[in-house]
Amino acid sequence: MTVAPEQTWHWRVDVGVARSVLALSGEIDMSGADLLDDLLLETIAQAATVEVNLAGLTFIDSTVLSTLVGAHHHAAGRGVDLSVVNATGQVRRVLDMTGIMQLLGRVAEPPPAAI
């Protein structure tokens, strides 16, 4: 596991032959968006399918949303299937409200739990 310089979030990349998984945890805001963008682009370059596992992520801001959308466009241009999985809590609500979950989410994901 690698720690971002800001110490607010962590990531792990599991590279497979056909699929790579970028697992994120912690809180990502504008201070980590550039590093997240670099990680997404590197991961997209390594596999035909990329999953961004958000299970451990507890906070994102609008710069992260923009980064995810940019990565989606980059992946689509390369013929790579990019999706986000396991979003919960604040992260899931923000992704749902902005339509990004519909753009990048897996159909098999359960709906967010009622609060």
Side-chain angles (χ1 to χ4, degrees), residues 12-66:
R12 185 183 74 241
V13 180
D14 295 318
V15 179
V17 175
R19 179 182 76 136
S20 292
V21 177
L22 173 60
L24 304 173
S25 62
E27 299 180 356
I28 308 176
D29 60 17
M30 61 188 263
S31 65
D34 286 340
L35 179 56
L36 176 60
D37 188 50
D38 291 344
L39 289 167
L40 286 164
L41 296 180
E42 288 174 22
T43 307
I44 289 166
Q46 296 174 10
T49 301
V50 174
E51 284 184 1
V52 182
N53 186 340
L54 306 178
L57 206 57
T58 58
F59 176 84
I60 59 173
D61 70 2
S62 62
T63 56
V64 174
L65 298 176
S66 178

Side-chain angles (χ1 to χ4, degrees), residues 61-83:
D61 70 2
S62 62
T63 56
V64 174
L65 298 176
S66 178
T67 300
L68 289 171
V69 171
H72 165 72
H73 291 298
H74 179 75
R78 295 179 57 96
V80 173
D81 176 30
L82 174 70
S83 62

